[in-house]
Amino acid sequence: MSISVKLTYGARWLPNYLWQRMHRNANSRPVHLIIALADHFEPSVLPHQGASPVPLEMQERKLETWCQDYPQAVTQWRDAEGYPLRHTYFYPAEQYHKDLIDRLAQHCSAGWGEIEIHLHHGIGTPDSSENVRRQLLEFRDALATQHGSLCYMDGHGSPRYAFVHGNFALANSARDINCGVDSEIQVLAETGCYADLTLPTAPFHPGQVGKINSLYECSLPLNTRAAHRRGRDLERGRTPKIFPLMVQGPLLPDFHPKGRRWLSIENGALTKPNPPSLHRLRLWKRAAVRVEGCPDWLFIKLHCHSMDSTQEDAVLGSSMQHFLRELVEGAPQRDETIHFVTAREMVNIVLAACDGREGNPGDYREYRLKRNVATSSSAAENKSSQALVRG
């Protein structure tokens, strides 16, 4: 990769990072860590195979293995309310298959996560807003009506969903590379998207915008290319009005030596070469993603590709299990209270913070965005039964 590409990427966001370091107050102690894992969940993809999907039978085996292995791997470590680390499964709309979603929805109903919307598009040829709208609506309605997924604002109206862009090029931010739809955020708003969790991008990706480590409303017209490159930070005492909200994960330099490198970029991705660790936790806290005026509620949005078999250790294996043990068991000594949340729960807690709610953020998981009653009841029953087993 050329030096010019790296410099361009850094110049886009490093000034904002330096400004944040100078102007954001140090984190409060004690602190609540509200942790969500956005899983770019793609069972049709095999590493190094390119765009060709694997056979359905192989996808079914991969999914079944995950649904059996994941609960066993993480169930031992629970947050302050008794929840395990759960994934928000951002499933690609263009890869929809009813039987696969049925199985994943069953896994989620048992208390292991929630399904939201993921979309790869504009690959090779720029997409159109009409086609994106059609794909989003068709997949949204299938998830809500056929699979009991998604949620409703204050429990009524049309289905609402969270979104990640499959190629990190949200709203054509990479200029016709893997998108092509300038008005994508407007389309998301009109089809019921309550939050976008795409950012940050992979290192040196052209879709990265300058605004980082933030929870915010877009301040540019939503039909503008990369309307999310500017926005008004969410703050206590001001209820947001412009959706989708932008929910970013951490992005900052990491000066911890790694092999021959003395500098790397922390972007919240859980990968084989960079699994979760307490060192990374310190960086996630330093990013200080929060609602202004609520310094003791920190929002940590991470992301992974759990169906990529090369990443297994970082999301399922010993690295993840070691991290969860240190995270949960060491929390009291670090003056931390851990809350494992889904994307929907995280946004509910964000909305509660904006409305001036106080106390335990875990009390606001169901604040405004309400799931289907049957799905919610199943998850609650699983939480209760697990608590009894531990007791």
Side-chain angles (χ1 to χ4, degrees), residues 160-180:
R160 307 297 295 269
Y161 66 92
F163 181 78
V164 295
H165 195 288
N167 304 99
F168 296 102
L170 179 66
N172 211 21
S173 53
R175 297 182 181 274
D176 289 338
I177 299 174
N178 297 332
C179 185

Side-chain angles (χ1 to χ4, degrees), residues 1 9 13 200-206 208 251 264-267 269 303:
M1 184 174 296
Y9 176 80
W13 61 269
T201 67
F204 311 116
H205 191 285
Q208 181 61 49
L251 183 64
S264 58
I265 296 171
E266 173 58 60
N267 70 341
H303 65 277

Side-chain angles (χ1 to χ4, degrees), residues 26 77 135 235 237 282:
W77 300 284
Q135 286 186 286
E235 57 185 296
R282 289 189 287 271

